[in-house]
Amino acid sequence: MRLDAARRGDATAQAELFEAHKHRVARQILRMTGDPSAVDDLVQEVFVAAFRGLASFREDAQVDTWLYRIAVNKVRNWWASGTRRRARESIALVDTEAAVEEGPEAFAAASDELDRFYRALGRLPAKYREAFVARAIDELGLDEASLRLGVPVSTVSYRARKAEELLRRELGWEVKP
Amino acid sequence: MSEPFPMDPRLRALCQQAAQQNPTPTRVAVDDIRRIVATRDRAWTIRTTLAAAACLGACALGFASWRASQTSDPAPMVLASEQDPPPRREASTDPTPHAPSIPPNVHAPIAAAALRLDSAATIERLGDSDTPEVLDPWHAVLVTGEYHVRVAASAKHPLTLVTTREAVRLLPGTETWVTVDSEGRLRSQAWSPNVHGPRPSAADLSRQAEEALQRRDTHAALTLLRRLATAYPRAPEARTGLLDLARLEASNGDPRRAVCAFRLYLERWPAASVRPEVERALAGLPQKVTCRSLKPRG
């Protein structure tokens, strides 16, 4: 089996594993972070962790699910670290000279809705953010989200709804009583 | 049929937008990953070996000490007992005889523009050698009294005009705003929710600034970002907020203020990874500007 070969360190089998899943993992990470500049680093980290953990990978789990969980952990660290902040700083610095010429309108337009959404998402506690991303952005059903995040269905449901409430507050939208 | 999630249609639209993002083809190569795996595995082996060696060494040392203690006379042990109480501290005189009777150990939040109890500032009660328990950078457990706030002078905190002789009255149970005025004097003001409204957090100010930007209210955004930078000088939100502020000041036709914001950023975070970019941005702005905090002078 190819997975066994990859586990034994077979370069070809590992390359096949990487090629088969890299795009899905990259898309996953982009959805979780909203930051294209973070994708390559995190894809690398996910597969480094996966290759190192191949020996302990249980056959009863799907590779997709396993990689998803690794990605969730790596992205959690990314949100917690200064990386996200540095990315924001870089965005804030882009084109100061152009800003002088173009005026406040251009500046305001640069802070678009999706960036604002991800900033708000970044302020949520990790467990709520992960449940929300799984349910709302990855559009996973409750069972699948529960499996991928490794928490009970009821917990995923509660966390996702709580995240929605917190997000609306973070975005300054009124929360209906 | 199950109800849609998220329920808010605006949020749902944003989530759909987020789901449709497509990454550019990754530049990561499997060979790079294999190389990193090999390096980390090697490092892990070395660390584990070193840890095991250190553990063995510690065990050997512990065993040797134990053997030595078994072979020598036991040292006399001094035990504290109730018959032998520790020396009593002299009762402190209440330095504020007119202070209202307020239960002790009231948690009194201290909000300070330039003071952080964990680093640059210390706080002590007059006539009492006990230092108040500091719960976090903004909270200390205080009893009724007058307090000295001492701000350590350093290059990063140019608060040299504030001396230990400056006394600030903090009322337990009342949020007190402590600031340094333009002449270097320490000022305190009880925070009144009726007058000031609830004190917004750094995250609140950051969010409000973003909202102001969204509705193209430059003046409000500037005010909020300036307040964020001065009220929460070390908050992560202030870090990016300062850069946003600098850029907004520049785009609003005030490059001298932009210079001050950029300089303040570099002063607060001299080792920031974006330092070269900030310096590049500064190079394109007026050079002969003298700043006091966020304000250009003259």
Coordinates of all heavy atoms in Angstrom, one line a residue, chain A residues 9 11 14 18 30-31 40 44-45 47-48 52 85-86 88-89 91-94 99-100 103-105 107-108 111 113 116 118-119 132 136-137 160-161 164 168 170-173, chain B residues 3 5-8 10-11 15 18-19 21-23 26-28 30 33-34 36-37 40-41 207 210-211 213-214 216 218 239-240 243-244 247-248 250-251 262 265 273-274 277:
Chain A
G9 N 9.3 5.9 4.4 CA 10.2 6.9 4.0 C 10.4 6.8 2.5 O 11.3 7.5 2.0
A11 N 10.4 7.9 -1.0 CA 10.3 9.3 -1.6 C 9.2 9.4 -2.6 O 8.4 10.4 -2.6 CB 11.6 9.7 -2.2
Q14 N 5.8 9.4 -0.8 CA 5.6 10.6 -0.1 C 5.2 11.7 -1.1 O 4.4 12.6 -0.8 CB 6.8 11.0 0.7 CG 7.0 10.1 1.9 CD 8.1 10.5 2.8 OE1 8.9 11.3 2.5 NE2 8.1 10.0 4.0
F18 N 1.8 13.9 -1.2 CA 1.9 15.4 -1.2 C 1.1 16.0 -2.4 O 0.3 16.9 -2.3 CB 3.3 15.8 -1.3 CG 3.5 17.3 -1.4 CD1 3.2 18.2 -0.4 CD2 4.0 17.9 -2.6 CE1 3.4 19.6 -0.5 CE2 4.2 19.3 -2.8 CZ 3.9 20.1 -1.7
L30 N -6.1 28.7 3.1 CA -6.6 30.1 2.6 C -7.9 30.4 3.2 O -8.2 31.5 3.7 CB -6.6 30.1 1.1 CG -7.0 31.5 0.5 CD1 -6.0 32.6 1.0 CD2 -6.9 31.5 -1.0
R31 N -8.8 29.4 3.2 CA -10.1 29.6 3.8 C -10.1 29.9 5.3 O -10.8 30.7 5.8 CB -11.0 28.4 3.6 CG -11.5 28.3 2.2 CD -12.2 26.9 2.0 NE -12.9 26.8 0.8 CZ -13.7 25.8 0.5 NH1 -13.8 24.8 1.4 NH2 -14.4 25.7 -0.6
D40 N 1.7 29.2 1.7 CA 2.8 28.4 1.4 C 3.5 27.9 2.7 O 3.8 26.7 2.8 CB 3.9 29.1 0.5 CG 3.5 28.9 -1.0 OD1 2.5 28.2 -1.3 OD2 4.2 29.4 -1.9
Q44 N 3.6 24.0 4.0 CA 4.8 23.3 4.3 C 4.8 22.7 5.7 O 5.1 21.6 5.9 CB 6.0 24.3 4.2 CG 7.3 23.7 4.4 CD 8.4 24.7 4.1 OE1 8.6 25.0 2.9 NE2 9.1 25.1 5.1
E45 N 4.3 23.5 6.6 CA 4.3 23.1 8.0 C 3.3 21.9 8.2 O 3.6 20.9 8.9 CB 3.8 24.2 9.0 CG 4.9 25.2 9.3 CD 6.1 24.6 9.9 OE1 6.0 23.8 10.8 OE2 7.2 24.8 9.4
F47 N 2.5 19.6 6.0 CA 3.1 18.3 5.4 C 4.4 17.9 6.2 O 4.6 16.7 6.3 CB 3.4 18.5 3.9 CG 2.1 18.3 3.1 CD1 1.4 19.4 2.6 CD2 1.7 17.0 2.8 CE1 0.2 19.2 1.9 CE2 0.5 16.8 2.1 CZ -0.2 17.9 1.6
V48 N 5.1 18.8 6.7 CA 6.2 18.4 7.6 C 5.7 17.6 8.8 O 6.1 16.5 9.1 CB 7.0 19.6 8.1 CG1 8.0 19.3 9.2 CG2 7.8 20.2 6.9
R52 N 6.2 13.6 9.5 CA 6.8 13.2 10.7 C 5.9 12.3 11.6 O 6.3 11.5 12.4 CB 7.2 14.4 11.6 CG 8.4 15.2 10.9 CD 8.9 16.2 11.8 NE 9.7 15.7 12.9 CZ 10.0 16.3 14.0 NH1 9.5 17.5 14.2 NH2 10.8 15.8 14.9
R85 N -0.1 39.3 12.9 CA 0.1 40.7 13.1 C 1.0 41.3 12.1 O 0.8 42.4 11.5 CB 0.6 40.9 14.5 CG 0.6 42.3 15.0 CD 1.6 42.6 16.1 NE 2.9 42.4 15.6 CZ 3.9 41.6 16.1 NH1 3.6 40.8 17.1 NH2 5.1 41.5 15.6
R86 N 2.1 40.5 11.8 CA 3.1 41.0 10.9 C 2.5 41.2 9.5 O 2.8 42.2 8.8 CB 4.3 40.1 10.8 CG 5.2 40.2 12.0 CD 6.6 39.6 11.8 NE 6.4 38.1 11.7 CZ 6.4 37.3 12.8 NH1 6.5 37.8 14.0 NH2 6.3 36.0 12.6
R88 N -0.6 41.9 8.9 CA -1.4 43.1 8.9 C -0.5 44.4 8.8 O -0.9 45.4 8.2 CB -2.2 43.2 10.3 CG -3.5 42.4 10.2 CD -4.6 43.3 9.5 NE -4.7 44.6 10.2 CZ -4.6 45.7 9.6 NH1 -4.3 45.8 8.3 NH2 -4.8 46.9 10.3
E89 N 0.6 44.3 9.5 CA 1.5 45.5 9.5 C 2.0 45.7 8.0 O 2.1 46.9 7.6 CB 2.7 45.2 10.4 CG 2.3 45.4 11.8 CD 3.5 45.1 12.8 OE1 4.4 44.3 12.4 OE2 3.5 45.5 13.9
I91 N 0.4 44.9 5.4 CA -0.7 45.5 4.6 C -0.8 47.0 4.9 O -1.0 47.8 4.0 CB -2.0 44.8 5.0 CG1 -2.0 43.3 4.4 CG2 -3.2 45.5 4.4 CD1 -3.0 42.4 5.0
A92 N -0.7 47.3 6.2 CA -0.8 48.7 6.6 C 0.2 49.6 6.0 O 0.1 50.8 5.8 CB -0.8 48.8 8.1
L93 N 1.4 49.0 5.7 CA 2.5 49.8 5.1 C 2.5 49.9 3.6 O 3.1 50.8 3.1 CB 3.8 49.1 5.5 CG 4.4 49.5 6.8 CD1 5.4 48.6 7.3 CD2 4.9 50.9 6.8
V94 N 1.7 49.1 3.0 CA 1.7 49.0 1.5 C 1.4 50.4 1.0 O 0.5 51.1 1.3 CB 0.7 48.0 1.0 CG1 0.5 48.2 -0.5 CG2 1.1 46.6 1.3
A99 N -0.8 56.4 -1.0 CA -1.9 56.9 -0.1 C -1.8 58.4 -0.1 O -2.9 59.0 0.0 CB -1.7 56.3 1.3
V100 N -0.6 59.0 -0.1 CA -0.5 60.4 0.0 C -1.2 61.0 -1.3 O -1.9 62.0 -1.2 CB 0.9 60.9 0.1 CG1 1.1 62.4 0.0 CG2 1.6 60.3 1.3
G103 N -5.4 59.8 -1.4 CA -6.3 60.4 -0.4 C -7.0 59.3 0.4 O -6.8 58.1 0.1
P104 N -7.8 59.7 1.3 CA -8.4 58.8 2.3 C -9.4 57.8 1.6 O -9.6 56.7 2.2 CB -9.2 59.7 3.3 CG -8.9 61.1 2.9 CD -8.1 61.1 1.6
E105 N -10.0 58.1 0.5 CA -10.9 57.2 -0.1 C -10.2 55.9 -0.5 O -10.7 54.8 -0.2 CB -11.5 57.8 -1.4 CG -12.4 59.0 -1.2 CD -13.7 58.6 -0.5 OE1 -14.3 57.6 -1.0 OE2 -14.1 59.3 0.4
F107 N -7.5 54.8 0.8 CA -7.2 54.1 2.1 C -8.3 53.3 2.6 O -8.2 52.1 2.9 CB -6.7 55.1 3.1 CG -6.3 54.5 4.4 CD1 -5.0 54.1 4.6 CD2 -7.2 54.2 5.4 CE1 -4.6 53.5 5.8 CE2 -6.8 53.6 6.6 CZ -5.5 53.2 6.7
A108 N -9.5 53.9 2.6 CA -10.7 53.2 3.1 C -11.0 52.0 2.3 O -11.4 50.9 2.8 CB -11.8 54.1 3.2
S111 N -9.3 48.7 3.0 CA -9.8 47.8 4.1 C -11.1 47.2 3.7 O -12.2 47.6 4.1 CB -10.0 48.6 5.4 OG -8.9 49.3 5.7
E113 N -14.2 44.4 2.8 CA -15.1 43.6 3.7 C -14.4 42.3 4.1 O -14.5 41.9 5.3 CB -16.4 43.3 3.0 CG -17.3 44.5 3.0 CD -18.0 44.7 4.4 OE1 -18.7 43.7 4.8 OE2 -17.9 45.7 4.9
R116 N -11.8 42.6 6.7 CA -12.4 43.0 8.0 C -13.0 41.7 8.6 O -13.0 41.5 9.8 CB -13.5 44.0 7.7 CG -13.9 44.8 8.9 CD -14.7 46.0 8.5 NE -15.6 46.3 9.6 CZ -16.9 46.2 9.5 NH1 -17.5 45.9 8.4 NH2 -17.7 46.5 10.5
Y118 N -12.0 38.6 8.2 CA -11.0 37.8 8.8 C -10.3 38.4 10.0 O -9.9 37.6 10.9 CB -9.9 37.5 7.7 CG -10.3 36.3 6.9 CD1 -10.8 36.4 5.6 CD2 -10.2 35.0 7.4 CE1 -11.2 35.3 4.9 CE2 -10.6 33.9 6.7 CZ -11.1 34.0 5.4 OH -11.5 32.9 4.7
R119 N -10.3 39.7 10.1 CA -9.7 40.3 11.3 C -10.7 40.0 12.5 O -10.2 39.7 13.6 CB -9.6 41.8 11.1 CG -8.4 42.2 10.3 CD -8.0 43.6 10.6 NE -8.1 44.4 9.3 CZ -7.8 45.7 9.2 NH1 -7.6 46.4 10.3 NH2 -7.9 46.2 8.0
F132 N -16.7 27.5 13.4 CA -17.4 28.4 12.5 C -16.8 28.2 11.1 O -17.6 28.1 10.1 CB -17.2 29.9 12.9 CG -17.9 30.8 12.0 CD1 -19.3 31.1 12.2 CD2 -17.3 31.4 10.9 CE1 -20.0 32.0 11.4 CE2 -18.0 32.3 10.1 CZ -19.4 32.6 10.3
A136 N -19.3 27.1 8.4 CA -19.8 28.2 7.5 C -19.0 28.4 6.2 O -19.5 28.7 5.2 CB -19.9 29.5 8.3
I137 N -17.7 28.1 6.3 CA -16.9 28.4 5.1 C -16.6 27.1 4.4 O -16.7 27.0 3.2 CB -15.6 29.1 5.5 CG1 -15.9 30.4 6.2 CG2 -14.7 29.4 4.3 CD1 -14.7 31.2 6.7
A160 N -20.3 26.8 16.8 CA -20.5 27.6 15.5 C -21.5 28.7 15.7 O -21.3 29.8 15.2 CB -20.9 26.6 14.5
R161 N -22.5 28.4 16.5 CA -23.6 29.4 16.7 C -23.0 30.5 17.5 O -23.3 31.7 17.3 CB -24.8 28.8 17.3 CG -25.5 27.8 16.4 CD -27.0 27.8 16.5 NE -27.5 26.9 15.4 CZ -27.8 27.3 14.2 NH1 -27.5 28.6 13.9 NH2 -28.2 26.5 13.3
E164 N -20.9 32.7 15.5 CA -21.7 33.7 14.7 C -22.1 34.9 15.5 O -22.0 36.0 15.0 CB -23.0 33.0 14.1 CG -23.8 34.0 13.3 CD -25.0 33.4 12.6 OE1 -25.3 32.2 12.8 OE2 -25.6 34.1 11.8
R168 N -20.7 38.7 14.7 CA -21.6 39.8 14.4 C -21.3 41.0 15.4 O -21.4 42.1 15.0 CB -23.1 39.4 14.6 CG -23.5 38.4 13.5 CD -24.9 37.9 13.6 NE -25.8 38.9 13.5 CZ -27.1 38.8 13.8 NH1 -27.6 37.6 14.3 NH2 -28.0 39.8 13.7
E170 N -18.4 41.5 16.8 CA -17.1 42.0 16.4 C -17.2 42.9 15.1 O -16.4 43.9 15.0 CB -16.1 40.9 16.0 CG -15.5 40.1 17.3 CD -14.5 41.0 18.0 OE1 -14.0 41.9 17.5 OE2 -14.3 40.7 19.2
L171 N -18.1 42.5 14.3 CA -18.3 43.3 13.0 C -19.1 44.6 13.2 O -19.4 45.3 12.3 CB -18.9 42.4 11.9 CG -17.9 41.4 11.4 CD1 -18.7 40.3 10.6 CD2 -16.9 42.0 10.5
G172 N -19.6 44.7 14.5 CA -20.4 45.9 14.8 C -21.8 45.8 14.3 O -22.5 46.8 14.2
W173 N -22.3 44.6 14.0 CA -23.7 44.4 13.6 C -24.5 44.1 14.8 O -24.1 43.4 15.7 CB -23.8 43.2 12.6 CG -23.0 43.4 11.3 CD1 -22.5 44.6 10.9 CD2 -22.6 42.4 10.4 NE1 -21.8 44.4 9.7 CE2 -21.9 43.1 9.4 CE3 -22.8 41.0 10.3 CZ2 -21.3 42.4 8.3 CZ3 -22.3 40.4 9.2 CH2 -21.6 41.0 8.2
Chain B
E3 N -31.9 24.6 8.7 CA -31.8 26.1 8.5 C -30.4 26.4 8.0 O -29.4 25.7 8.4 CB -32.2 26.8 9.7 CG -31.5 26.5 10.9 CD -32.1 27.2 12.2 OE1 -33.2 27.6 12.1 OE2 -31.4 27.2 13.2
F5 N -26.8 28.1 7.6 CA -25.8 28.6 8.6 C -24.7 29.3 7.8 O -24.2 28.7 6.9 CB -25.2 27.4 9.4 CG -24.3 27.9 10.5 CD1 -24.7 28.4 11.7 CD2 -22.9 27.9 10.2 CE1 -23.9 28.9 12.6 CE2 -22.0 28.4 11.2 CZ -22.5 28.9 12.4
P6 N -24.2 30.4 8.3 CA -24.8 31.2 9.4 C -26.1 31.8 9.0 O -26.5 31.9 7.9 CB -23.7 32.3 9.6 CG -23.0 32.4 8.3 CD -23.0 31.0 7.7
M7 N -26.9 32.1 10.1 CA -28.2 32.6 9.9 C -28.2 34.0 9.3 O -29.1 34.4 8.5 CB -29.0 32.6 11.2 CG -29.3 31.2 11.6 SD -30.0 31.1 13.2 CE -31.7 31.7 12.9
D8 N -27.3 34.8 9.6 CA -27.2 36.2 9.2 C -26.9 36.2 7.7 O -25.8 35.7 7.3 CB -26.2 37.0 10.0 CG -26.3 38.5 9.7 OD1 -26.3 38.8 8.5 OD2 -26.3 39.3 10.6
R10 N -25.8 38.5 5.7 CA -24.6 39.3 5.4 C -23.4 38.4 5.7 O -22.4 38.4 4.9 CB -24.6 40.6 6.2 CG -25.6 41.6 5.8 CD -25.6 42.7 6.8 NE -26.1 42.3 8.1 CZ -26.2 43.1 9.2 NH1 -25.9 44.3 9.1 NH2 -26.6 42.6 10.3
L11 N -23.5 37.7 6.8 CA -22.4 36.9 7.2 C -22.2 35.7 6.2 O -21.2 35.3 5.9 CB -22.6 36.4 8.6 CG -21.4 36.0 9.5 CD1 -20.3 37.0 9.4 CD2 -21.8 35.8 10.9
C15 N -19.1 34.5 4.0 CA -18.5 33.2 4.1 C -18.5 32.6 2.7 O -17.5 31.8 2.4 CB -19.4 32.3 5.0 SG -19.3 32.7 6.7
A18 N -15.5 34.0 1.2 CA -14.3 33.3 1.7 C -14.1 31.9 1.2 O -13.0 31.5 0.9 CB -14.4 33.3 3.3
A19 N -15.2 31.2 1.0 CA -15.1 29.8 0.4 C -14.6 29.8 -1.0 O -14.0 28.8 -1.5 CB -16.5 29.2 0.6
Q21 N -12.4 31.7 -2.3 CA -11.0 32.1 -2.5 C -10.2 30.9 -3.1 O -10.4 29.8 -2.7 CB -10.3 32.5 -1.2 CG -11.0 33.6 -0.5 CD -10.3 33.8 0.9 OE1 -9.4 34.6 1.0 NE2 -10.7 33.0 1.8
N22 N -9.4 31.2 -4.1 CA -8.5 30.2 -4.6 C -7.1 30.5 -4.5 O -6.6 31.6 -4.9 CB -8.8 30.0 -6.1 CG -9.7 28.8 -6.3 OD1 -9.5 27.7 -5.7 ND2 -10.7 28.9 -7.2
P23 N -6.3 29.6 -3.9 CA -4.9 29.9 -3.7 C -4.1 29.8 -5.0 O -4.5 29.1 -5.9 CB -4.4 28.9 -2.7 CG -5.3 27.7 -2.9 CD -6.7 28.3 -3.3
T26 N 0.8 26.3 -5.1 CA 1.8 26.4 -4.1 C 3.2 26.2 -4.6 O 3.4 25.4 -5.6 CB 1.5 25.3 -2.9 OG1 2.6 25.4 -2.0 CG2 1.5 23.9 -3.5
R27 N 4.2 26.9 -4.1 CA 5.5 26.8 -4.5 C 6.3 25.8 -3.7 O 7.5 25.6 -3.8 CB 6.2 28.1 -4.5 CG 5.8 29.1 -5.6 CD 6.2 30.5 -5.3 NE 5.6 30.9 -4.1 CZ 5.8 32.2 -3.6 NH1 6.5 33.0 -4.1 NH2 5.1 32.5 -2.5
V28 N 5.6 25.2 -2.7 CA 6.3 24.2 -1.8 C 6.6 23.0 -2.6 O 5.7 22.5 -3.3 CB 5.4 23.9 -0.6 CG1 6.0 22.9 0.3 CG2 5.0 25.2 0.1
V30 N 8.0 18.9 -2.5 CA 8.1 17.8 -1.6 C 9.5 17.6 -1.1 O 9.7 17.1 0.1 CB 7.4 16.5 -2.2 CG1 8.3 16.0 -3.3 CG2 7.2 15.5 -1.1
I33 N 10.2 19.6 1.9 CA 9.5 19.1 3.1 C 10.3 17.9 3.7 O 10.6 17.8 4.9 CB 8.1 18.6 2.7 CG1 7.2 19.8 2.4 CG2 7.4 17.9 3.9 CD1 5.9 19.5 1.8
R34 N 10.8 17.1 2.8 CA 11.6 15.9 3.2 C 12.9 16.4 3.9 O 13.3 15.8 4.9 CB 11.9 15.0 2.1 CG 10.7 14.2 1.6 CD 10.9 13.5 0.3 NE 12.1 12.7 0.3 CZ 12.2 11.4 0.8 NH1 11.2 10.9 1.4 NH2 13.4 10.8 0.8
I36 N 13.3 19.3 5.5 CA 13.0 19.8 6.8 C 12.7 18.7 7.8 O 13.1 18.8 9.0 CB 11.8 20.8 6.7 CG1 12.2 22.0 5.8 CG2 11.3 21.2 8.1 CD1 11.0 22.9 5.4
V37 N 12.0 17.7 7.3 CA 11.6 16.6 8.2 C 12.9 15.9 8.7 O 13.1 15.7 9.9 CB 10.8 15.5 7.5 CG1 10.7 14.2 8.3 CG2 9.4 16.1 7.2
R40 N 14.6 18.2 11.3 CA 13.9 18.3 12.6 C 14.0 17.0 13.3 O 14.1 17.0 14.6 CB 12.4 18.7 12.4 CG 12.3 20.1 12.0 CD 10.9 20.6 12.1 NE 10.8 21.9 11.4 CZ 9.6 22.5 11.2 NH1 8.5 21.9 11.5 NH2 9.6 23.7 10.6
D41 N 14.0 15.9 12.6 CA 14.2 14.6 13.2 C 15.5 14.5 13.9 O 15.7 14.0 15.0 CB 14.0 13.4 12.2 CG 12.6 13.2 11.9 OD1 11.7 13.7 12.6 OD2 12.3 12.5 10.9
R207 N -11.7 48.2 16.3 CA -12.9 47.9 15.5 C -13.7 49.2 15.1 O -14.1 49.3 14.0 CB -13.8 47.0 16.3 CG -14.9 46.4 15.5 CD -15.9 45.6 16.3 NE -16.6 46.4 17.3 CZ -16.5 46.1 18.6 NH1 -15.8 45.1 19.0 NH2 -17.1 46.9 19.4
E210 N -11.9 50.8 12.3 CA -12.2 50.1 11.0 C -13.6 50.5 10.5 O -13.8 50.7 9.3 CB -12.2 48.6 11.3 CG -10.7 48.1 11.2 CD -10.7 46.6 11.5 OE1 -11.7 45.9 11.2 OE2 -9.7 46.1 12.1
E211 N -14.6 50.6 11.4 CA -15.9 50.9 11.0 C -15.9 52.3 10.5 O -16.6 52.6 9.5 CB -16.9 50.8 12.2 CG -17.2 49.4 12.6 CD -17.8 49.2 13.9 OE1 -18.2 50.2 14.6 OE2 -18.0 48.1 14.4
L213 N -13.5 53.8 9.0 CA -12.9 53.8 7.7 C -13.9 53.3 6.7 O -14.0 53.8 5.5 CB -11.7 52.9 7.7 CG -10.4 53.5 8.3 CD1 -9.4 52.5 8.5 CD2 -9.9 54.6 7.4
Q214 N -14.7 52.3 7.1 CA -15.6 51.7 6.2 C -16.7 52.7 5.7 O -17.1 52.8 4.6 CB -16.4 50.5 6.8 CG -15.5 49.3 7.1 CD -15.1 48.6 5.9 OE1 -15.8 48.5 4.9 NE2 -13.8 48.2 5.9
R216 N -16.1 55.8 5.5 CA -15.3 56.9 5.0 C -15.2 58.1 5.9 O -15.1 59.3 5.5 CB -15.9 57.4 3.6 CG -16.1 56.3 2.6 CD -14.8 55.8 2.0 NE -15.0 55.0 0.8 CZ -15.0 53.7 0.8 NH1 -14.9 53.0 2.0 NH2 -15.1 53.1 -0.3
T218 N -13.1 59.8 7.9 CA -11.6 59.9 8.1 C -11.3 60.6 9.5 O -10.5 60.1 10.2 CB -11.0 60.8 7.0 OG1 -11.4 60.2 5.8 CG2 -9.5 60.7 7.1
R239 N -0.3 48.4 17.7 CA 0.9 48.2 16.8 C 0.5 48.4 15.3 O 1.1 49.2 14.6 CB 1.5 46.8 17.1 CG 2.8 46.6 16.5 CD 3.5 45.4 17.1 NE 4.6 45.1 16.3 CZ 5.7 44.4 16.7 NH1 5.7 43.9 17.9 NH2 6.7 44.2 15.9
T240 N -0.5 47.7 14.9 CA -0.9 47.8 13.5 C -1.7 49.1 13.4 O -1.6 49.8 12.3 CB -1.8 46.7 13.1 OG1 -2.8 46.4 14.1 CG2 -1.0 45.4 12.8
L243 N 0.5 52.1 12.4 CA 0.8 52.1 10.9 C -0.3 52.6 10.1 O -0.2 53.3 9.2 CB 1.3 50.7 10.5 CG 2.6 50.2 11.1 CD1 3.0 48.8 10.6 CD2 3.8 51.2 10.8
D244 N -1.5 52.1 10.5 CA -2.7 52.6 9.8 C -2.9 54.1 10.0 O -3.2 54.8 9.0 CB -4.0 51.9 10.4 CG -4.2 50.5 9.9 OD1 -3.6 50.2 8.8 OD2 -4.9 49.7 10.5
R247 N -0.4 56.0 7.8 CA -0.8 56.0 6.4 C -2.0 56.9 6.2 O -2.1 57.6 5.2 CB -1.1 54.6 6.0 CG -0.9 54.3 4.6 CD -1.1 52.8 4.3 NE -1.8 52.7 3.0 CZ -2.6 51.7 2.7 NH1 -2.9 50.8 3.6 NH2 -3.2 51.6 1.6
L248 N -2.9 56.9 7.2 CA -4.1 57.7 7.0 C -3.8 59.2 7.2 O -4.3 60.0 6.5 CB -5.1 57.3 8.1 CG -6.5 57.9 8.0 CD1 -7.1 57.6 6.6 CD2 -7.4 57.3 9.1
A250 N -1.0 60.5 6.3 CA -0.3 60.9 5.1 C -1.4 61.1 4.0 O -1.4 62.1 3.3 CB 0.6 59.8 4.6
S251 N -2.3 60.2 3.9 CA -3.3 60.3 2.8 C -4.3 61.5 3.1 O -4.9 62.0 2.2 CB -4.1 59.0 2.7 OG -4.9 58.8 3.9
F262 N 4.9 57.2 12.4 CA 5.9 56.2 12.0 C 7.1 56.2 13.0 O 7.6 55.1 13.4 CB 6.5 56.5 10.6 CG 5.7 56.0 9.5 CD1 5.4 56.8 8.4 CD2 5.2 54.7 9.5 CE1 4.6 56.3 7.3 CE2 4.4 54.2 8.5 CZ 4.1 55.0 7.4
Y265 N 6.1 54.4 16.2 CA 6.1 53.0 15.9 C 7.5 52.4 16.1 O 7.8 51.4 16.8 CB 5.6 52.7 14.5 CG 5.6 51.2 14.2 CD1 4.5 50.4 14.5 CD2 6.7 50.6 13.6 CE1 4.6 49.0 14.2 CE2 6.7 49.3 13.3 CZ 5.7 48.5 13.6 OH 5.7 47.2 13.4
S273 N 9.8 43.6 12.4 CA 10.3 43.0 11.2 C 10.0 43.9 10.0 O 10.7 43.8 8.9 CB 9.6 41.6 10.9 OG 8.2 41.8 10.8
V274 N 9.1 44.8 10.2 CA 8.7 45.7 9.1 C 9.5 47.0 9.1 O 9.2 48.0 8.4 CB 7.2 46.0 9.0 CG1 6.4 44.8 8.6 CG2 6.7 46.6 10.3
E277 N 10.6 48.7 5.9 CA 9.5 49.3 5.2 C 9.1 50.6 5.8 O 8.8 51.6 5.1 CB 8.3 48.3 5.1 CG 8.5 47.2 4.2 CD 9.1 46.0 4.9 OE1 9.8 46.1 5.9 OE2 8.9 44.8 4.4

